[in-house]
């Protein structure tokens, strides 16, 4: 009994380390833009390429680890028209939840956007002004790397490694709450509920077919369309 408890604590500790690693990798493009904005373009591209290689390597080994877990599901997406319909439905639920929480934020006199959203908007504008390398790294990070990293760590390893054998209800609650907390810059209950809802919808997409790619593609769809909207609004203002 004691050994099982210590093993569970050990898995949770490893999970927190992985969440911290995800946060660091997601923030590197912004850090590069702040530190290396005055570097020659060649050095900017060199540091960007190193970041891309490093992050891709981490993603590769994390996914390899995940797919070695018991009952990890298919390594392939196996999408058809019906699966895309489910993903679009999931994305619609996320958009509807964001709209509802945005209305509540205004009713309670809070900023329309959570701090994490504001950070993304400000970073995107700053890196866009810098141009080329760091802007490219940020777009790839948000649109591709972040969904791969976060879904593998939160939904994948959270379900099959950290809380393996727990009830689906508890796994959904704990992984979604952890996802929400990981996206908070300060105490903001509406932000926590909003991001936890995104985490839950992604978990449902993942658990429906036990296919990690369903959650990854949903996350990519949400992030990519959000980036497009931010860029369009930024260019029209």
């Amino acid at each position: 009994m004691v050994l099982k408890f210590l093993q569970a604590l050990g898995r949770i500790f490893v999970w927190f380390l992985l969440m911290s690693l995800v946060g660091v990798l997601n923030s590197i493009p912004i850090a590069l833009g702040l530190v290396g904005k005055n570097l020659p373009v060649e050095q900017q591209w060199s540091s960007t390429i190193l970041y891309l290689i490093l992050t891709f390597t981490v993603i590769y080994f994390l996914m390899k680890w995940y797919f070695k877990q018991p009952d990890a599901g298919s390594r392939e997406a196996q999408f058809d028209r019906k699966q895309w319909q489910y993903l679009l439905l999931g994305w619609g639920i996320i958009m509807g939840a964001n709209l509802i929480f945005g209305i509540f934020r205004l009713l309670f006199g809070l900023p329309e956007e959570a701090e994490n959203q504001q950070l993304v908007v400000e970073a995107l504008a700053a890196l866009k002004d810098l141009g080329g390398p760091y802007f490219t790294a940020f777009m790839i990070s948000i649109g591709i790397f972040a969904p791969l990293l976060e879904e593998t760590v939160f939904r994948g390893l959270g379900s099959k490694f950290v809380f393996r054998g727990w009830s689906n209800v508890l796994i959904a609650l704990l992984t979604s709450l952890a996802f929400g907390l990981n996206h908070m810059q300060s105490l903001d209950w509406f932000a926590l509920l909003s991001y936890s809802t995104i985490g839950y919808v992604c978990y449902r997409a993942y658990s429906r077919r036990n296919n990690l790619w369903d959650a990854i593609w949903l996350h990519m769809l949400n992030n990519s369309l959000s980036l497009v909207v931010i860029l369009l609004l930024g260019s029209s203002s």
Side-chain angles (χ1 to χ4, degrees), residues 88-231:
L88 289 173
L89 174 62
W91 177 73
I93 293 172
I94 289 173
M95 291 297 99
N98 285 340
L99 177 61
I100 292 170
F101 286 121
I103 292 172
F104 275 108
R105 295 183 70 84
L106 293 177
L107 290 175
F108 280 84
L110 297 171
E112 185 177 355
E113 297 173 331
E115 284 187 57
N116 190 72
Q117 293 171 312
Q118 293 173 358
L119 180 63
V120 171
V121 172
E122 292 168 2
L124 192 58
L127 293 172
K128 185 180 179 183
D129 290 338
L130 287 177
Y134 303 140
F135 179 70
T136 301
F138 187 77
M139 294 291 286
I140 293 174
S141 173
I142 297 295
I144 300 175
F145 284 171
L148 285 166
L149 283 167
E150 292 176 357
E151 294 310 317
T152 302
V153 170
F154 286 97
R155 256 60 68 183
L157 291 171
S159 299
K160 305 300 184 185
F161 172 71
V162 182
F163 304 116
R164 183 173 63 234
W166 294 36
S167 73
N168 290 335
V169 173
L170 270 178
I171 293 174
L173 176 64
L174 293 172
T175 56
S176 301
L177 184 60
F179 182 79
L181 289 169
N182 194 255
H183 285 78
M184 287 180 61
Q185 308 299 319
S186 60
L187 183 60
D188 184 333
W189 291 108
F190 287 115
L192 177 61
L193 289 172
S194 178
Y195 281 107
S196 295
T197 300
I198 295 173
Y200 179 75
V201 174
C202 287
Y203 176 81
R204 292 289 297 176
Y206 160 65
S207 63
R208 188 177 65 86
R209 296 196 303 160
N210 190 32
N211 193 317
L212 185 63
W213 289 104
D214 288 8
I216 290 172
W217 279 105
L218 175 58
H219 200 147
M220 284 185 178
L221 178 67
N222 181 63
N223 283 18
S224 298
L225 291 178
S226 297
L227 285 174
V228 170
V229 170
I230 292 171
L231 287 171

Side-chain angles (χ1 to χ4, degrees), residues 10-32:
R11 289 196 296 269
I12 291 172
F13 177 71
V14 170
W15 197 44
F16 275 106
L17 291 180
L18 291 176
M19 284 190 279
S20 300
L21 175 62
V22 169
V24 169
L25 291 173
N26 286 343
S27 64
I28 285 179
I30 300 174
L32 289 175

Side-chain angles (χ1 to χ4, degrees), residues 78-89 208-209 214:
Q78 300 174 333
F79 279 123
D80 55 24
R81 188 173 182 178
K82 185 178 181 180
Q83 306 314 324
W84 283 113
Q85 289 174 346
Y86 275 114
L87 290 191
L88 289 173
L89 174 62
R208 188 177 65 86
R209 296 196 303 160
D214 288 8

